[in-house]
Amino acid sequence: MKIQTKSRKVNKAWLNDHINDPYVKLAQKEGYRARAAYKLKEIDEQLGLVKPGQLVVDLGCAPGAWSQYLRRRFAPKTAGTGGAASGELQGRIVAVDLLDFEPVDGVQYLQGDFRDEAVLAQLVALMGGQRADLVVSDMAPNLSGIASADAARMAHLVELAVEFAMQHLKPEGALVCKVFHGSGYSQLVKLFKERFRVVKPIKPKASRDKSAETFLVGLGLKEAA
């Protein structure tokens, strides 16, 4: 019973923090599906990653906040802040996830596990034979609460994103990947430094202070796949 009581207190505290979170309120105001949009926004504004005419692949796209942000960045300037006006996007977004995904206008979505060869082939087909200018990954495992196991699962997802980037990213392209700052983090930084010419760790303001979440950005492949 003590454990259940503690759990209820933790859940109540989390819910209270969530409701009062300024980024949650801002996401609701601006029509984003999740506060995560502002994490990518901050990273993009720091590094100037998203440019008109690009092909961007969004790995682990659900619920869609990152795809929404990318879609608004590619919207014609006359579309306004919401990016809801008609007009061909100045760029292409291909998104994939295991989960259901409510469509985002202008985003080509594929449901499936891109580790599966058939799904990967479909994903590459949606890319139209082109390499991506930018690959973004907000993928995270279902957490068990066992730190070592969760770190291993997260590392595996990061390795998958890096492997995908090595095969399907332009030599001058960039990869943005969510990681956990903890066990195994230094090995993931090492992996990025082995694969990319420039590596930048970023902890966006929209990422909660209590969270171990941070992001690694790799700029420019060291060798073309």
Side-chain angles (χ1 to χ4, degrees):
M1 290 301 293
K2 288 182 180 179
I3 294 175
Q4 290 179 354
T5 302
K6 183 179 180 181
S7 178
R8 282 198 297 271
K9 287 181 179 178
V10 169
N11 289 338
K12 188 175 180 181
W14 180 91
L15 184 60
N16 185 63
D17 288 346
H18 183 77
I19 291 172
N20 294 307
D21 188 301
Y23 289 102
V24 171
K25 292 179 178 179
L26 191 59
Q28 292 170 344
K29 179 182 177 183
E30 297 189 344
Y32 282 116
R33 297 175 185 175
R35 64 198 299 283
Y38 300 102
K39 301 171 189 177
L40 182 58
K41 182 176 187 288
E42 186 176 335
I43 294 168
D44 178 31
E45 289 175 346
Q46 279 192 40
L47 301 176
L49 298 177
V50 185
K51 301 178 179 68
Q54 288 180 327
L55 168 60
V56 183
V57 178
D58 185 356
L59 302 176
C61 59
W66 279 23
S67 283
Q68 283 182 304
Y69 173 74
L70 293 165
R71 189 250 180 270
R72 295 183 191 192
R73 289 284 281 116
F74 286 153
K77 290 186 177 180
T78 54
T81 57
S86 61
E88 188 173 345
L89 294 185
Q90 298 167 340
R92 293 180 55 226
I93 306 155
V94 177
V96 62
D97 202 302
L98 286 167
L99 305 175
D100 289 333
F101 180 81
E102 183 182 343
V104 174
D105 183 43
V107 176
Q108 294 174 280
Y109 167 66
L110 174 67
Q111 183 168 8
D113 187 339
F114 74 92
R115 292 174 296 182
D116 183 288
E117 287 186 13
V119 175
L120 179 60
Q122 292 179 66
L123 181 59
V124 172
L126 285 177
M127 294 170 67
Q130 297 181 328
R131 285 178 177 257
D133 298 279
L134 174 64
V135 174
V136 297
S137 171
D138 197 27
M139 293 190 293
N142 291 323
L143 300 180
S144 66
I146 302 171
S148 59
D150 290 339
R153 291 191 186 102
M154 189 67 195
H156 179 59
L157 292 178
V158 175
E159 289 163 2
L160 288 172
V162 171
E163 183 181 343
F164 179 86
M166 292 298 295
Q167 296 296 325
H168 303 289
L169 189 66
K170 288 180 179 177
E172 68 278 13
L175 169 66
V176 178
C177 201
K178 176 155 74 178
V179 299
F180 288 161
H181 202 297
S183 175
Y185 174 75
S186 60
Q187 288 90 335
L188 294 177
V189 173
K190 181 174 181 288
L191 173 64
F192 264 69
K193 288 183 175 179
E194 288 171 349
R195 298 291 187 262
F196 294 93
R197 295 194 296 272
V198 177
V199 178
K200 293 184 178 293
I202 297 178
K203 173 81 170 180
K205 294 183 180 68
S207 186
R208 291 189 175 100
D209 292 338
K210 297 176 184 177
S211 173
E213 168 191 87
T214 190
F215 294 86
L216 288 177
V217 183
L219 304 167
L221 294 172
K222 280 191 172 180
E223 58 183 55

